[in-house]
Amino acid sequence: IGGDPGHPVQRAIDLLVAERRHRGAVRARVDQRDARLGLLEQRAALGAEFKRLLTNTYAGAFTRYQPGVRIELRPSRVKPGDTGATVRSLVSNGSAEPIPLDYYLEQIDGVWKVTDFAVFGARMVEVYKGQFNGAIAASGVDGLIKTLVAKNNSNEAAAIR
């Protein structure tokens, strides 16, 4: 579905997650150690491709299921005054193994925002941070952006098949 604004899963992701995700916090976690990510164009391109990557990841989790999808919210341990929370869920339709999908939120400027998520327990920012740092070391920021574009194009082509 990668970026098709008319696709129902894309619209749901954009409405519920993408526009509420604090991209600055996500990007800061990915590139916190690399001062070379200072060029505005590079930051914009990296942010756009990372959003595509996350969108494709969300879409992959949701498009495995057809009508009748059930999202079960698991118990949470948030206390008044906490500035971080985890929303745990299981996504299922009864015929496939449920997918654990957890959202990590932070309160930023008084608003709860998704800063990371995990599918099957793998936290996406942590998974990608190591890959991104390796790509930057090998071929610089522009090389990382090219790698993300290629990965996103490949994932989207595979989803069409």
Side-chain angles (χ1 to χ4, degrees):
I1 69 165
D4 174 4
H7 193 287
V9 173
Q10 178 69 52
R11 287 196 320 263
I13 290 168
D14 285 345
L15 178 66
L16 299 173
V17 178
E19 294 308 314
R20 294 181 182 163
R21 186 180 65 244
H22 186 59
R23 290 185 206 116
V26 172
R27 192 168 47 242
R29 287 187 179 162
V30 172
D31 66 18
Q32 65 187 342
R33 299 182 330 188
D34 198 320
R36 293 176 288 177
L37 290 177
L39 296 177
L40 190 57
E41 297 83 11
Q42 289 175 320
R43 283 188 175 273
L46 179 60
E49 291 306 319
F50 189 63
K51 178 182 177 184
R52 262 178 84 196
L53 184 64
L54 292 178
T55 298
N56 288 334
T57 302
Y58 274 114
F62 286 111
T63 57
R64 283 185 46 191
Y65 296 98
Q66 299 301 317
V69 168
R70 195 179 95 162
I71 300 175
E72 176 187 343
L73 295 176
R74 308 300 294 203
S76 179
R77 295 185 181 125
V78 180
K79 298 177 187 125
D82 285 352
T83 58
T86 302
V87 175
R88 300 188 189 287
S89 68
L90 289 174
V91 181
S92 64
N93 72 352
S95 66
E97 189 70 26
I99 296 175
L101 181 60
D102 301 337
Y103 300 89
Y104 297 87
L105 297 95
E106 291 179 25
Q107 199 173 82
I108 301 168
D109 298 329
V111 178
W112 288 100
K113 301 194 180 199
V114 176
T115 57
D116 196 3
F117 69 97
V119 178
F120 290 111
R123 288 185 72 154
M124 296 296 106
V125 170
E126 293 303 314
V127 167
Y128 291 123
K129 183 169 69 172
Q131 293 175 12
F132 289 4
N133 287 339
I136 290 169
S139 56
V141 176
D142 288 330
L144 170 61
I145 293 167
K146 287 178 186 173
T147 299
L148 285 172
V149 168
K151 181 177 182 81
N152 287 329
N153 290 343
S154 174
N155 289 343
E156 290 164 9
I160 292 171
R161 286 184 248 144

